[in-house]
Amino acid sequence: MTKSAINPSTVFNSLQYGFSQGLVVTGQRRVMLSGQVGVNAQEQTVSGGMREQTEAALDNIELVLAEAGGRIDQVIMLRIFIREDASSPQEQDEIAAALLKRFPVNPPPSSWILINGLARREWLIEIEAEAMLD
């Protein structure tokens, strides 16, 4: 798989938030992941707030990809669903920090979508991912 980020100077600088404006990808084996939330293998919501739930959701993405023989740097698209009442500028900064940590080079494009709620009241964020493995 090869990928090349597209971040023209004619649009806002999304790299500071941990995502690219676009990504040119070549490969053959594409994996689409269900939305991952801040829960552990015992189905317990992690303690803490947005930072902890975002990190746990990204951990789960890594674990699912590993099972398929992939890595998180092979993610080519994220869709991030954020509970509307948990979308303060500080919480959005925590999401961006988690993305910058996991995707320091050629970060995948992403959509950040504010929603009314998730399947469980304590969940603040859900992250869907697509990856190209080879």
Side-chain angles (χ1 to χ4, degrees):
M1 180 218 26
T2 62
K3 63 182 181 177
S4 176
I6 302 170
N7 292 293
S9 62
T10 53
V11 297
F12 79 94
N13 176 13
S14 61
L15 292 174
Q16 65 185 321
Y17 303 112
F19 65 94
S20 294
Q21 293 291 341
L23 197 64
V24 176
V25 181
T26 58
Q28 295 186 14
R29 195 163 61 119
R30 184 173 154 195
V31 178
M32 296 180 291
L33 283 69
S34 292
Q36 299 297 317
V37 293
V39 300
N40 60 27
Q42 293 74 39
E43 299 182 33
Q44 298 169 329
T45 302
V46 297
S47 60
M50 182 61 78
R51 178 179 305 277
E52 292 80 8
Q53 287 197 25
T54 303
E55 291 285 347
L58 292 168
D59 288 345
N60 290 339
I61 288 169
E62 283 192 273
L63 293 167
V64 173
L65 286 173
E67 185 69 20
R71 303 176 316 273
I72 198 154
D73 66 341
Q74 294 172 305
V75 169
I76 60 171
M77 182 66 188
L78 295 172
R79 276 170 297 286
I80 304 172
F81 301 92
I82 306 162
R83 210 173 71 195
E84 195 170 29
D85 63 347
S87 65
S88 71
Q90 178 184 346
E91 288 162 315
Q92 290 184 17
D93 287 347
E94 291 173 349
I95 296 167
L99 294 177
L100 287 165
K101 178 179 167 185
R102 302 293 174 111
F103 303 104
V105 178
N106 285 335
S110 68
S111 296
W112 294 31
I113 305 151
L114 296 181
I115 58 170
N116 194 23
L118 292 162
R120 289 199 178 164
R121 184 166 172 71
E122 66 267 21
W123 294 347
L124 305 175
I125 188 167
E126 182 169 336
I127 305 174
E128 290 181 2
E130 293 184 40
M132 186 73 74
L133 302 189
D134 45 44

